[in-house]
Amino acid sequence: MGVFDIIGPVMIGPSSSHTAGAARIGLMARYILKDEPQEAKLTLYGSFAKTYIGHGTDKALIAGLLGYSAEDEVIRDAFTLAKKQHFKVSICPSTETPKHPNTARIFVTGKSGKQVEVLGVSLGGGKIAIREINHCPVDISGMSHTLLTMHEDKPGVVALVSSLLSERKINISSMRVFRKGKHQEAIMMIDTDSPVPEEVVEKIVSLNMINTVQVIKPL
C-alpha cells in the first residue's frame, strides 16, 4: 500500500469518487474528442445520478470537459465558466441500473462539429476507467501514456503501428484491440513507457486504414 492509498489524491472535494473521478472522466472525454467542446449531454447513472448535486459531480464533469484537472479550484464555478465559453450542457440523471455505481455517459460535440460518446466509471480514490468510446468497448485508465487509434478491422494494422513505434525505440507496456465486429470499426489502445512524438503520430495518421489517432497523456 502506498501513500496515495492512505491519504487519497490531491483534489477538490467533497468526494474522490464523485468529484475528482468525475473531473478526470470529463478531462479524458476532452482528450478523446480532440476539440474544444461546444455542447454536451451528461447522463448520470447509479450513485452519480442520486447524489450528483451534493457532491458536485455535474460541476466536475463540466470542468474536466473544459480542460481543468481534479486539483483545480475552478470546479466550483464550472457552470459559470461554461456559460462564459458558450458551452451548452444538459444533465440527465438516469434510473437505469449500471454495471458500476459511479457511471457517466458523455455525448459531446466540438466546435468543428466532431462528436464523440464516452462512457466512464469512477473507481474510487480519484481513479477512473473509460469503458466505451462510441459504443465500442475499451479500457483506458488515464494512468499512462496512451496511443489510441480508431481504424478499420483489417490485417496488418497492429503490425504497422507497432513497427513505427519500434523504429523510434518507444517501448509498449500493453496493447489491447477492441472491435464492434469482424471488418467493422476497431479501437487499438497502446500504453507506452514514454510519450509518442508528433512525427510518429503523423506517420500513423497517414496510414490508409487509420481513421483517427489520439495521444492521451497521464491525468
Side-chain angles (χ1 to χ4, degrees):
M1 179 178 288
V3 173
F4 178 89
D5 299 299
I6 299 172
I7 65 173
V10 177
M11 64 168 202
I12 299 300
S15 169
S16 62
S17 59
H18 289 63
T19 313
R24 287 168 180 159
I25 291 171
L27 187 58
M28 186 66 76
R30 178 187 176 92
Y31 287 162
I32 294 169
L33 177 67
K34 209 175 180 179
D35 194 3
E36 190 68 32
Q38 185 175 46
E39 187 172 351
K41 177 182 178 182
L42 311 180
T43 305
L44 308 180
Y45 302 89
S47 182
F48 270 7
K50 294 175 182 176
T51 67
Y52 73 93
I53 295 176
H55 283 141
T57 304
D58 48 355
K59 295 177 182 178
L61 288 166
I62 292 168
L65 282 164
L66 290 173
Y68 296 99
S69 71
E71 299 82 27
D72 206 310
E73 293 184 1
V74 302
I75 286 177
R76 301 187 179 103
D77 303 313
F79 281 103
T80 300
L81 290 169
K83 187 175 182 179
K84 286 181 179 179
Q85 297 185 34
H86 306 288
F87 177 34
K88 300 177 182 178
V89 184
S90 61
I91 312 294
C92 305
S94 173
T95 57
E96 181 181 340
T97 302
K99 292 181 179 179
H100 190 282
N102 303 326
T103 299
R105 184 178 294 277
I106 301 174
F107 182 75
V108 58
T109 302
K111 289 187 175 180
S112 67
K114 181 181 178 183
Q115 295 180 319
V116 71
E117 186 167 338
V118 173
L119 181 77
V121 299
S122 180
L123 304 173
K127 297 178 182 179
I128 68 162
I130 300 301
R131 295 283 167 81
E132 289 182 15
I133 298 176
N134 294 338
H135 298 282
C136 186
V138 297
D139 187 12
I140 304 173
S141 69
M143 299 294 286
S144 61
H145 296 284
T146 302
L147 183 74
L148 182 70
T149 72
M150 297 185 184
H151 60 275
E152 300 172 38
D153 180 39
K154 292 184 177 180
V157 177
V158 174
L160 284 170
V161 174
S162 300
S163 177
L164 288 171
L165 295 174
S166 178
E167 287 175 6
R168 287 298 302 268
K169 301 188 184 305
I170 298 170
N171 191 51
I172 296 173
S173 58
S174 69
M175 176 186 290
R176 290 150 291 174
V177 180
F178 299 85
R179 64 181 186 179
K180 290 184 176 179
K182 188 176 181 180
H183 303 315
Q184 296 183 30
E185 183 181 17
I187 293 178
M188 176 165 54
M189 295 171 300
I190 302 175
D191 292 336
T192 59
D193 291 339
S194 57
V196 179
E198 185 60 34
E199 61 267 25
V200 177
V201 175
E202 290 176 359
K203 287 182 179 180
I204 295 172
V205 171
S206 69
L207 299 174
N208 291 332
M209 65 285 288
I210 299 291
N211 297 324
T212 63
V213 177
Q214 282 119 350
V215 175
I216 301 173
K217 58 186 178 181
L219 295 177

